[in-house]
Amino acid sequence: MADKIWDVIIIGGGIAGCFAAVKAKETGAKDVLLIDKGYVGKSGCATFGAGSFKGYIPDADDYDLWYSKAVEEGCYMNDQEWLQAHLAEVFERVKDLENWGVRFMKEEDGSYRRIEGQGSSDKRPIPTLMFYGPELMDKARKAVLKAGVVIQDKTMVCKLLHSKDDPKAISGALGFHLETGEFTAYTGRSVVASAGAQCYKSNYGFHKMVTGDTHVMALEAGAELSNMEFACHHLSYAGFDTTGMNIIQGCRGGFVNKDGDAFTEWYDPEYKDRGCLNRLSTAFGLEADQGRAPIYLDVSYYKEREMNLFHDGLPILYKAFERAGIIKDNEFVQKRLEWTSAFSGTLGFGGGIRIRLDGGTNLKGLYAAGDASNGPASGVEGFTAYGIPHATTNGARAGIGAAEYARTVEEVRVDQAEIDALIEEIRKPLSVKEGVEPDHIVTAVQEAIIPKDVYLLRTEENLQKALDQILYIKKYEMPYIKAYDSHYLRMAIEAKNMVLCAELFLRAALMRKETRGSHMRMDYPETDNKEWLKWILISQENGELKFRLEDVPIDKYPMKPKEERYRHPAIINMEKNRR
């Protein structure tokens, strides 16, 4: 593999990476390599995709409703050209998945079975397609192999390689095998970065492997990132990490505070318990601030139909609840479960590598897909164009774009001096004898950024305090991180990536002096479309981080905000319902 020149190299074998691989082959790329630090089909967020797929169906759904909801919940930060492309193509990707063997739930008449889950109200219904749990990625792996793609499992890619002839072009990637520790430089005409989000190994189920790997390697190679101040505020059972909020909400799970009040309608009168994640998490935090925590998920409405859907769509979570004694004989024994907010970083939407409509970046030959990208169609949380559905459209476009670019590249050369220097840099933790272990760094990062008054209800004082903690870790602890073997080396690199991504998140959050969606600044409670309808773009030059602003080109988009400034609805409703 080291001596071969690949047409397309894909880093990260989640659903976006699999679509990129298959579509690259279909576009004519002869030699396609898919690399994953785990096992393609068993790693990545889509493996635990919670059985839901919010896909627009042209003959069944209201296009204007889906489009407007994406922009509204995206807080007008969407690239609306990307949104148009996503809605035009997402049902084609559903058909691709079915051709791969993924089973979507159907009604007796053969139509798709859909539920009114997250982000769907009686006034504005946005129904969700359902598939059978974790079989998605198993079918995706088989489709990748059937297409003739070569898979390299258990290999962690750490660095991108520049073209020897053009420092603004990417011509490969460098990684090591997690069992043998052997390094390999992969040379390619194009590279797709699709190794997922940065979830900070937080209290959300099955996402400990996504640690911003391609965010960091792309930034270090010269690519731009954007939207790092926006984040996914997920929700989880407090007893152990869980997933599946779309189905949980769609099965009429409701939330109550410690007094038994169904409080979500105070903060989100239209969507109530089916609200989007950032509003629900904000409501959780504000209830806690007013002394009305803990919060509980009320499952007393779950009857046989809901339990069967829960079983089919979320079999892993269903089994976990059974083993914990929470479900018995297809019924919840406990009717109220303590629930909590979970900071999931850039999972599903939020920050990442900035991309064009073809998935390309500002570096020639580098493309990005899925959560590795900045999720341009979704903006802040445009839930009709995020997560797995957006990963399928985004991955397909990136694979096609990379394959088409590869056809234009005749000669590919990488610089052996760069490879040698990068290997020496990557291996440094293996030579540290007295130092700190990766787990120490991970815990320190979590202690800095996961308190709710940092990631959720933000103020300048608390964001700056957290940034100071991260900079201390970066300066005084990261140089002494140690690794005993290749397994610990992976952990050390993940910890390093967490530190840098935390710094990017905090600096961007300090920079944006307004409230917008998941970016809730308690000291700036207004959304300011006059001054802050802008993207924050991040680059790195000679090791120094650079931040700049770029206006969202709202004048060329079909949908524009109606108000210049307005107070965040959650703040208004909190003040109205304060007791």
Side-chain angles (χ1 to χ4, degrees):
M1 286 191 181
D3 298 328
K4 187 178 182 67
I5 296 178
W6 300 89
D7 292 317
V8 182
I9 298 169
I10 297 122
I11 305 165
I15 196 64
C18 288
F19 262 97
V22 171
K23 293 302 178 182
K25 288 291 288 187
E26 290 178 357
T27 306
K30 180 181 177 182
D31 297 308
V32 178
L33 175 65
L34 177 59
I35 311 172
D36 194 275
K37 70 179 177 182
Y39 177 89
V40 176
K42 300 297 182 185
S43 69
C45 297
T47 307
F48 308 96
S52 62
F53 189 104
K54 204 174 287 292
Y56 167 75
I57 302 178
D59 294 334
D61 295 325
D62 182 336
Y63 180 89
D64 291 340
L65 173 59
W66 280 66
Y67 190 97
S68 64
K69 282 305 299 176
V71 178
E72 179 184 316
E73 299 295 352
C75 299
Y76 297 88
M77 300 297 287
N78 322 63
D79 179 331
Q80 291 188 40
E81 291 177 346
W82 246 111
L83 174 59
Q84 292 162 21
H86 169 76
L87 292 177
E89 296 166 12
V90 67
F91 192 58
E92 295 176 21
R93 304 290 79 83
V94 171
K95 292 300 184 183
D96 284 336
L97 289 171
E98 289 187 312
N99 289 334
W100 294 1
V102 176
R103 296 175 300 143
F104 284 84
M105 297 183 192
K106 301 286 183 71
E107 302 291 358
E108 290 184 1
D109 63 1
S111 62
Y112 290 98
R113 183 179 184 186
R114 305 170 86 184
I115 62 169
E116 303 293 337
Q118 190 179 105
S120 186
S121 71
D122 295 337
K123 180 181 178 182
R124 294 186 285 180
I126 303 287
T128 299
L129 292 162
M130 311 300 299
F131 61 89
Y132 288 90
E135 71 174 30
L136 172 70
M137 286 308 302
D138 177 61
K139 303 297 185 184
R141 181 185 178 94
K142 292 176 181 176
V144 166
L145 291 172
K146 184 178 179 181
V149 175
V150 176
I151 293 178
Q152 177 68 45
D153 293 315
K154 298 182 180 180
T155 298
M156 184 176 194
V157 174
C158 314
K159 301 288 184 178
L160 296 172
L161 300 176
H162 295 90
S163 166
K164 190 173 183 178
D165 304 305
D166 185 351
K168 295 295 185 181
I170 298 300
S171 295
L174 177 66
F176 64 95
H177 195 275
L178 295 182
E179 292 180 348
T180 68
E182 180 181 356
F183 278 81
T184 301
Y186 303 94
T187 305
R189 292 180 170 83
S190 64
V191 175
V192 179
S194 61
Q198 171 59 271
C199 290
Y200 300 102
K201 298 182 183 283
S202 70
N203 60 316
Y204 189 67
F206 317 120
H207 293 73
K208 304 298 189 283
M209 81 297 284
V210 281
T211 50
D213 302 344
T214 40
H215 291 170
V216 172
M217 70 178 81
L219 179 71
E220 291 176 341
E224 279 191 318
L225 307 186
S226 70
N227 292 356
M228 292 301 288
E229 70 273 29
F230 300 119
C232 175
H233 302 327
H234 235 300
L235 304 172
S236 174
Y237 174 50
F240 50 80
D241 299 352
T242 59
T243 62
M245 282 309 303
N246 217 325
I247 290 181
I248 288 169
Q249 291 169 269
C251 290
R252 298 194 300 164
F255 297 103
V256 297
N257 60 25
K258 74 170 187 179
D259 300 326
D261 298 322
F263 63 90
T264 57
E265 62 182 312
W266 302 342
Y267 301 92
D268 194 351
E270 179 180 348
Y271 293 95
K272 305 179 180 69
D273 294 322
R274 297 204 300 250
C276 68
L277 295 171
N278 77 69
R279 286 202 297 276
L280 284 172
S281 282
T282 297
F284 277 35
L286 293 173
E287 284 295 286
D289 273 0
Q290 295 172 86
R292 296 196 287 269
I295 305 302
Y296 299 94
L297 172 68
D298 185 346
V299 292
S300 61
Y301 293 102
Y302 278 43
K303 306 304 179 187
E304 183 178 4
R305 176 184 177 278
E306 287 75 22
M307 293 304 299
N308 290 340
L309 179 58
F310 193 13
H311 175 274
D312 292 342
L314 299 171
I316 296 174
L317 179 56
Y318 186 98
K319 180 62 70 175
F321 278 160
E322 270 194 325
R323 290 176 175 173
I326 295 169
I327 290 178
K328 185 176 181 180
D329 298 329
N330 203 35
E331 183 178 347
F332 273 102
V333 176
Q334 298 179 36
K335 301 301 182 184
R336 288 187 177 179
L337 309 174
E338 186 176 346
W339 224 251
T340 184
S341 174
F343 180 46
S344 296
T346 59
L347 174 69
F349 41 83
I353 305 166
R354 192 187 194 195
I355 56 173
R356 303 184 302 266
L357 262 175
D358 64 350
T361 70
N362 61 303
L363 295 176
K364 287 179 282 188
L366 179 63
Y367 294 74
D371 284 345
S373 80
N374 62 335
S378 65
V380 178
E381 191 178 341
F383 53 74
T384 64
Y386 74 164
I388 293 176
H390 185 254
T392 65
T393 58
N394 178 306
R397 280 184 162 252
I400 293 167
E404 290 177 342
Y405 175 83
R407 284 201 292 263
T408 71
V409 179
E410 295 182 2
E411 186 177 16
V412 182
R413 297 198 307 161
V414 292
D415 188 344
Q416 187 61 46
E418 180 185 39
I419 294 169
D420 293 341
L422 291 174
I423 291 176
E424 182 179 356
E425 177 189 336
I426 295 165
R427 288 180 55 85
K428 279 183 181 178
L430 290 168
S431 63
V432 176
K433 302 303 180 185
E434 298 293 332
V436 297
E437 294 195 359
D439 282 350
H440 169 81
I441 300 292
V442 169
T443 301
V445 171
Q446 291 172 336
E447 288 175 344
I449 67 172
I450 292 184
K452 72 173 174 62
D453 57 1
V454 176
Y455 84 86
L456 185 58
L457 307 178
R458 307 171 183 177
T459 63
E460 182 163 355
E461 179 182 358
N462 291 324
L463 289 169
Q464 186 61 56
K465 179 181 176 182
L467 179 59
D468 291 343
Q469 290 176 262
I470 294 297
L471 294 178
Y472 179 91
I473 296 167
K474 182 180 180 180
K475 183 175 181 179
Y476 294 107
E477 296 186 347
M478 273 308 304
Y480 304 101
I481 194 168
K482 63 182 179 180
Y484 307 109
D485 53 26
S486 57
H487 170 68
Y488 269 85
L489 184 58
R490 169 187 65 81
M491 295 168 64
I493 294 167
E494 290 176 340
K496 183 206 80 167
N497 293 345
M498 286 178 59
V499 172
L500 180 54
C501 287
E503 180 182 356
L504 302 179
F505 155 59
L506 292 166
R507 289 191 184 278
L510 280 163
M511 190 173 181
R512 183 173 291 279
K513 290 177 168 50
E514 64 155 358
T515 283
R516 190 176 294 269
S518 61
H519 177 67
M520 171 68 80
R521 285 290 299 262
M522 302 301 287
D523 46 354
Y524 294 95
E526 286 190 334
T527 297
D528 187 347
N529 288 318
K530 183 176 181 180
E531 301 296 334
W532 277 105
L533 196 58
K534 304 174 188 295
W535 293 312
I536 296 178
L537 305 178
I538 309 171
S539 60
Q540 184 171 285
E541 298 177 16
N542 300 318
E544 183 180 352
L545 295 173
K546 303 286 186 180
F547 292 76
R548 68 182 181 90
L549 299 175
E550 182 177 302
D551 290 337
V552 176
I554 200 70
D555 289 340
K556 74 174 186 178
Y557 292 157
M559 192 169 170
K560 303 169 178 60
K562 296 178 181 178
E563 299 175 273
E564 282 192 352
R565 295 185 180 90
Y566 59 90
R567 199 168 176 84
H568 194 282
I571 297 294
I572 295 173
N573 286 299
M574 177 194 73
E575 293 169 347
K576 185 186 302 182
N577 292 284
R578 190 186 296 275
R579 295 183 298 166

